[in-house]
Amino acid sequence: MKKLIMVAVAAFMVTMGVNAQNMFIKPMVGATMAKLTKLDDTKFKIGLVAGAEFGYKLSDPFAITAGALVSMQGTNFKDTDYEKDAKTTLTYLNIPILANYEILPGLAVKAGLQPGFLLSAKSKGKEEFGGGWVEYEHSGTEGMKKVDLSIPLGLSYQISDFVIDARYNLGLTKTNKEGDDAIKNSVIMLTVGYKIPF
């Protein structure tokens, strides 16, 4: 898997070097709505995402992009009689590699592959104890896979040099090392970016 990722990145860099006039960088920032699959009583967790993508325009309708995005993911849990305000926050460095096709002026569809690298993990909430509520917090990535693979699918619309981007990242790999349940990331992402050609 690591060799495949390195080959894809190397091919992207070689392609970009062919014609620098068709290259651009796009700083971007936005929000995520994330859940972890196969868990009971979960609801979407709102987080932040920020980073930049580098792109190369192959022709009028086609472009390829590769980015580096720090993304807050995880899930929130519904309140129960024994636990409330519980949430798990997983922070990833995601590397989306996308093919972009412009179907109308300014409007593009995109799909690709996204390896992600787990930076941190934190769980917190309140649990019932002795007739009252006690706060708890746990940090650490033990028992979790450090590399996550997903398929990003989305749409973007460019207005002047600003780009509005909406994506769904479908998790392919388990986030947990052990256990029979295949707990995976499921993330909706909405960002605004500024396209800078160079």
Side-chain angles (χ1 to χ4, degrees):
M1 181 61 67
K2 291 183 179 179
K3 290 183 179 179
L4 179 62
I5 294 171
M6 293 299 294
V7 169
V9 173
F12 177 77
M13 296 302 291
V14 170
T15 303
M16 287 199 307
V18 174
N19 188 350
Q21 292 181 348
N22 291 332
M23 295 169 58
F24 61 87
I25 183 173
K26 184 180 67 176
M28 52 199 294
V29 64
T32 58
M33 290 179 58
K35 288 181 73 173
L36 293 173
T37 64
K38 301 295 184 180
L39 293 177
D40 295 331
D41 298 323
T42 60
K43 56 185 180 179
F44 282 107
K45 178 184 183 301
I46 305 298
L48 298 175
V49 59
E53 288 186 337
F54 299 88
Y56 178 74
K57 191 171 184 180
L58 298 171
S59 63
D60 283 337
F62 289 104
I64 55 175
T65 58
L69 304 174
V70 176
S71 178
M72 296 175 61
Q73 300 172 194
T75 196
N76 284 347
F77 294 88
K78 296 178 182 178
D79 292 344
T80 67
D81 292 338
Y82 305 99
E83 192 171 27
K84 65 179 182 179
D85 300 332
K87 62 182 178 181
T88 295
T89 302
L90 306 177
T91 303
Y92 286 90
L93 174 61
N94 289 326
I95 313 294
I97 302 170
L98 300 169
N100 299 257
Y101 181 77
E102 192 172 45
I103 55 177
L104 293 171
L107 180 65
V109 295
K110 54 190 65 187
L113 191 64
Q114 177 178 275
F117 304 92
L118 184 62
L119 301 178
S120 67
K122 180 183 293 186
S123 296
K124 63 186 301 185
K126 298 176 182 177
E127 57 186 359
E128 196 277 333
F129 182 78
W133 294 97
V134 178
E135 294 186 358
Y136 68 86
E137 184 172 327
H138 307 291
S139 298
T141 59
E142 294 181 7
M144 305 198 65
K145 291 189 174 182
K146 305 302 189 294
V147 178
D148 180 74
L149 192 63
S150 63
I151 295 178
L153 305 167
L155 291 168
S156 66
Y157 186 69
Q158 182 170 342
I159 306 172
S160 185
D161 292 325
F162 290 92
V163 180
I164 300 171
D165 192 304
R167 298 179 196 174
Y168 174 64
N169 297 329
L170 174 65
L172 298 179
T173 53
K174 294 172 58 175
T175 60
N176 52 313
K177 290 182 179 179
E178 300 178 354
D180 295 331
D181 291 335
I183 301 172
K184 301 176 182 180
N185 283 299
S186 178
V187 183
I188 298 171
M189 188 178 83
L190 180 64
T191 61
V192 176
Y194 187 77
K195 194 172 180 180
I196 306 171
F198 65 94

